[in-house]
Amino acid sequence: MATLLISSISILLFAAILISLADGGSIGVNYGRIGGDLPSAFKVAKLLKSQGINRVKVYDTDPAVLRSLSGTGIKVTVNLPNELLYAASRKPSFARGWIRRNVVAYYPHTQIESIAVGNEVFVDPKNTTAFLISAMKNIHQALVSYKLDSDIKLSSPVALSALQNSYPSSAGSFRPELIEPVFKPMFEFLRETGSYLMVNAYPFFAYESNSDVISLDYSLFRQNPGVPDAGNGLRYFNLFDAQIDAVFAAMSALKYDDIPLVVSETGWPSKGDDNEIGASLENAAAYNGNLIKRILTGGGTPLRPKANLTVFLFALFNENKKTGPSSERNYGLFYPNMQKVYNIPFTVEDLKNFRGESSPVTSPVVSPVTSPVAGGGEDGRVVRDSTPVKRGGNGSGQSWCVAKDVEKGKLQSGLDYACGKGGADCRPIQPGSTCYDPNTLQAHASFAYNSYYQKMGRADGACYFDGSAYVVTEPPQFGKCEFPTGY
């Protein structure tokens, strides 16, 4: 296997790759406690430290939890529950007292970095929406009075049900009845205070309800042809990106492009009822593992490629006292005995032992072609690079996939996938075979990429490999090696 020939190179390059990953996003966890068998808060703090998890979000301000996190260096998001929104909105004195008791009493030894004011208030059956903005403003004024407003940010987690439209992503829009009374004033507040929108996004729910039209690979960040969005000219390779970009599009429609976004909840259940399609241990491990890899390796969404995201996984533990379907009690990354439900990475260092796969981080540049190309999209466009490898002319409508001149770790990963799980025919690039020479990583990767691309019927998205490949419409040339055009 060509992989073996360059394994030593991969090892030498890993340190450089780790440095490049340092600019990625951040992973945190939601620490819910609706369970009768959970460990003590101090044991939980040790667990978080041992796993390298440096951000945690809680759903209250329990003194035992906040004390346990003191001196750990873990950044904490606390919550003002929905049932307190009315009091916080009507009485500035209540807001000030709440901040004094629940923030000032612990900060800075407990590194409280943000306050979630309410949680998914738009779907709260007690209808707390009308109190949200006033509560946020009063809580902020309380922070100002203690000179903590520059250190601690305020936001309010929003469920995707606040969107009127979420598909395609380019058509993302908020529910009309919420725009003037809630979203516009909230966005003005977030802009003025330098804060961000919190969003709870669960691809699992969309897949569960639409498994006949949404592929599992697309939902789990696995290799897939992608889904085109004719409205913005982008192609999406995972449902998570598509959901987040729908929110970005809705914000853009209201002229609030400058406000960042934090994913305050996302996850996938490891068990569910018979009718909860997709809820399984394997799928939960794939979603969370590939999502973590996706976030830690950097890059934003197709619509905002430079926006590294902070993402809080839901949830730290399985919670046996939750009501509802079985999935509600099985989102945990850990059992109450603090053993992992499944093995996934939590840090950049962990990624070197992670064997998951992931779809492309961001959409490739899409540019028009003037002649038809086999496997082209419905809009007549294919993924192209500005510097194709050429050898003579081509009027046959054929296309090939070749590797870009990018860092070797990315090429190695693509080569591993193509020759392994991708099922490409990599025999010609073995020592002594017809395409072994030139013996370079880029040449071998190009042959493997093209083999996979042709095997997949030259489908859109089959030539991407995490941005390390592109389609050309003239036969590639690497020495005397002939690249096949079909199988």
Side-chain angles (χ1 to χ4, degrees):
M1 206 33 107
T3 304
L4 298 177
L5 301 175
I6 46 180
S7 59
S8 59
I9 297 177
S10 297
I11 294 171
L12 292 173
L13 286 169
F14 187 75
I17 295 171
L18 289 181
I19 293 172
S20 69
L21 298 187
D23 295 329
S26 176
I27 291 293
V29 295
N30 284 276
Y31 176 18
R33 304 193 316 283
I34 308 177
D37 53 356
L38 299 181
S40 70
F42 281 95
K43 288 183 178 179
V44 171
K46 290 181 179 179
L47 173 66
L48 295 172
K49 289 288 289 183
S50 71
Q51 298 297 320
I53 298 171
N54 58 15
R55 274 192 163 92
V56 65
K57 177 171 160 281
V58 294
Y59 291 90
D60 51 23
T61 52
D62 184 271
V65 172
L66 295 182
R67 284 196 296 267
S68 73
L69 295 167
S70 177
T72 63
I74 296 171
K75 297 179 180 179
V76 184
T77 296
V78 298
N79 178 241
L80 175 77
N82 287 357
E83 54 266 27
L84 299 182
L85 285 177
Y86 176 82
S89 70
R90 297 302 174 91
K91 297 180 179 180
S93 59
F94 175 88
R96 182 179 171 87
W98 189 88
I99 288 294
R100 183 182 65 253
R101 293 188 303 274
N102 299 295
V103 177
V104 176
Y106 303 98
Y107 185 86
H109 299 293
T110 299
Q111 292 190 17
I112 299 171
E113 66 171 342
S114 61
I115 301 171
V117 180
N119 184 58
E120 297 187 347
V121 298
F122 308 141
V123 295
D124 185 347
K126 295 182 180 180
N127 193 20
T128 52
T129 302
F131 313 127
L132 176 60
I133 303 304
S134 295
M136 293 179 77
K137 290 181 177 180
N138 285 342
I139 292 292
H140 180 256
Q141 284 304 311
L143 287 174
V144 170
S145 69
Y146 287 105
K147 296 182 172 56
L148 294 177
D149 54 298
S150 61
D151 298 326
I152 300 174
K153 300 303 179 185
L154 297 182
S155 190
S156 184
V158 174
L160 287 186
S161 57
L163 294 177
Q164 177 77 6
N165 296 304
S166 61
Y167 179 82
S169 299
S170 59
S173 62
F174 293 112
R175 285 160 45 189
E177 71 273 18
L178 296 174
I179 291 176
E180 293 298 332
V182 183
F183 275 113
K184 282 189 175 180
M186 182 167 70
F187 288 149
E188 285 295 331
F189 173 83
L190 297 178
R191 177 182 281 168
E192 290 170 3
T193 59
S195 190
Y196 41 78
L197 179 66
M198 291 180 174
V199 174
N200 296 345
Y202 286 89
F204 167 71
F205 294 138
Y207 172 75
E208 177 197 21
S209 302
N210 303 277
S211 59
D212 56 332
V213 294
I214 298 177
S215 81
L216 187 59
D217 285 343
Y218 183 68
S219 304
L220 300 180
F221 298 86
R222 292 173 174 163
Q223 290 281 346
N224 65 90
V227 176
D229 185 330
N232 58 22
L234 298 172
R235 179 169 293 274
Y236 288 86
F237 294 93
N238 64 77
L239 185 52
F240 175 85
D241 277 355
Q243 289 185 337
I244 299 305
D245 270 0
V247 180
F248 279 139
M251 296 169 70
S252 180
L254 299 181
K255 311 300 182 186
Y256 292 98
D257 302 82
D258 55 315
I259 296 175
L261 184 150
V262 164
V263 180
S264 40
E265 285 184 23
T266 190
W268 196 285
S270 60
K271 185 186 298 184
D273 296 323
D274 290 342
N275 63 341
E276 293 188 281
I277 300 172
S280 73
L281 194 70
E282 179 184 9
N283 291 344
Y287 177 80
N288 284 315
N290 288 327
L291 171 64
I292 291 171
K293 177 183 177 183
R294 157 83 170 74
I295 296 302
L296 293 183
T297 53
T301 65
L303 198 59
R304 293 193 182 180
K306 295 182 180 180
N308 286 328
L309 295 173
T310 293
V311 173
F312 288 85
L313 302 177
F314 186 88
L316 188 57
F317 295 109
N318 284 336
E319 299 171 77
N320 64 3
K321 287 190 174 182
K322 280 198 154 188
T323 59
S326 295
S327 62
E328 286 295 314
R329 295 176 288 282
N330 290 281
Y331 274 90
L333 302 171
F334 295 86
Y335 294 111
N337 64 4
M338 297 193 293
Q339 296 299 308
K340 281 187 176 183
V341 177
Y342 40 80
N343 287 315
I344 56 172
F346 291 114
T347 67
V348 169
E349 179 66 21
D350 291 342
L351 289 178
K352 66 182 179 182
N353 297 317
F354 180 59
R355 295 301 180 187
E357 59 172 289
S358 61
S359 60
V361 172
T362 57
S363 172
V365 176
V366 177
S367 58
V369 294
T370 57
S371 59
V373 177
E378 293 176 355
D379 56 0
R381 293 179 290 180
V382 295
V383 181
R384 295 292 303 276
D385 185 272
S386 59
T387 56
V389 180
K390 298 182 179 180
R391 183 182 67 180
N394 172 44
S396 64
Q398 295 174 336
S399 59
W400 296 261
C401 180
V402 295
K404 293 180 180 179
D405 184 14
V406 297
E407 57 94 7
K408 290 181 172 61
K410 184 173 287 189
L411 289 180
Q412 177 66 55
S413 178
L415 178 61
D416 289 346
Y417 176 84
C419 293
K421 189 171 183 179
D425 181 8
C426 295
R427 291 171 297 179
I429 54 176
Q430 302 310 304
S433 295
T434 54
C435 289
Y436 176 73
D437 290 316
N439 181 19
T440 67
L441 180 55
Q442 187 177 3
H444 288 182
S446 292
F447 188 92
Y449 287 3
N450 184 67
S451 176
Y452 175 84
Y453 175 66
Q454 303 298 336
K455 174 188 172 185
M456 298 298 292
R458 299 191 289 271
D460 279 356
C463 182
Y464 191 78
F465 296 95
D466 202 15
S468 67
Y470 61 98
V471 170
V472 295
T473 55
E474 296 178 341
Q477 182 177 15
F478 287 92
K480 297 179 180 180
C481 181
E482 294 288 340
F483 278 45
T485 56
Y487 289 96

